[in-house]
Amino acid sequence: MIKKSLFLIFMCFALQFVVAQQRNYVMAIHGGAGTILKKNLTDSMEAAYKDGLKQALLAGYRILQEEGGTSLDAVEAAVKVLEDNPLFNAGKGAVFTSEGKNELDAAIMDGKTLSAGAVAGVTNIKSPIQAARAVMQHSPHVMMVGAGAEQFAKEQGLEIVDPSYFYTKERWDGLQKARELDSLATQLDHDAQSGIHEVYKDYKYGTVGAVAVDRAGNLAAATSTGGMTNKRYGRVGDAPITGAGNYADNATVAVSCTGWGEFFIRSVAAYDVAARVQYGGLSIADAAAAVIKKIGDMGGDGGLIAINKQGEVAMPFNTAGMYRGVIKADGTIEVEIYK
Ligand code: ASP
C-alpha cells in the first residue's frame, strides 16, 4: 500500500516535470506599423518583408527550441536579425533625423527578474539591442544615452561601426520628402487631425520588436528603432523607455510597441497593457486592444505585440498595416502585413 502511494506520488512529480519541459513556447515579432497598403508594395517587396520576418522568427525559435533556451536570448536574436535587415527601421536602414543623422534607440526587459536595459540616441553601435542587453547585465543602470552609451558599448566589446553604415537611399529619400512637407507644415507637425499629417505619417514610422515565452514560462520583450523620420536632434521616442514602448513581467505580459512614440510615452502604453491585465482582470486581447484604442482616442496611432505565459498573443494596431509574425512550439509560422 505504502509502496503504491509512493509510486503514485513519484509519477505525479514526473508528470509535472514533463509538462513543465514541454511548456508552450511562442514568439511574436513586429517590424513596424504605419500606412502600409497593398497597393504601395510590389509582390517582390512584400515577399522580401515576409522573408525578413520569417528569418527573425526562426532565429528566435532556434533558441526557444533548445533545452534551457531563454526568451531573453530569443527576443534579442530576433531583433538583431531585423536590425541587420535594411528593410526595417532599426539598425541598418534606420530613418534619418532632421539633421540627416541616424540616432538609434533600443530596450530589453526580462520578465522573470524585471531587469531592464536601454540605450538612446546612439549613432555608431551596430546592434543597439545588444547594447541594451549589456546595459542591463553589465552596468548598474537601466538606461544610457548618446556618447556615454557608445563608450560603454565599446568597452563591452560590441561592434562599433562608422555612422554611414546605417545609411540607405530609401530612408534618405524619405527624409527629403518629410523635409518638404514639414517646411509647409511646421505648426501642424504633431497635429493628428491635420490633413498634412495624414499625408506624411505613413513613412515616418517603423520599429522592430519581439516578445516571447520560453519553456520555463519566462517572458521577455525587446524593441529597437531608428525613431521617426525628421525627428529633431535629441528626440527620444517610446522604444527605449521601459513601460512605454517595451515591458515584460512574468506575472502578466511582455509587450513591444510601434507607432507615434510621443503618444505611447504619454499613455505608458506597454505597462498599461500589463496593468489592465493585472488590476483590471482583462484578457490579454482586451487589454492590448483597449490601449491601442486609447492611443487612437488621444490622436496617436500605431500598434503593439503582447504575449503571456500561456502563449496567448495579441497584436492590435490602428494603422493600415503592421509587419508582424508568430512562431509556435510546433514550428508553424504566420506572417501578416495588412489588416
Ligand atoms: N515608436 C517609434 C518612435 O516613436 C517609432 C515607430 O515605432 O515607428 O520612436
Side-chain angles (χ1 to χ4, degrees), residues 122-161:
V122 296
T123 59
N124 66 5
I125 302 172
K126 185 175 181 196
S127 171
I129 199 65
Q130 287 185 327
R133 175 110 186 234
V135 170
M136 176 172 103
Q137 288 184 323
H138 304 298
S139 88
H141 309 303
V142 167
M143 190 172 189
M144 295 176 79
V145 306
E150 291 167 355
Q151 176 66 26
F152 175 74
K154 198 171 164 195
E155 285 163 14
Q156 289 294 310
L158 298 183
E159 191 169 348
I160 303 298
V161 291

Side-chain angles (χ1 to χ4, degrees), residues 30 32-33 89 105 204-208 225-228 231 235-240 257-262 264:
H30 70 78
N89 172 22
D105 303 333
K204 279 200 155 189
Y205 294 169
T207 275
V208 307
T225 190
M228 291 171 76
K231 66 185 181 182
R235 180 265 188 188
V236 172
D238 59 315
C257 302
T258 172
W260 195 348
E262 279 69 9
F264 284 75

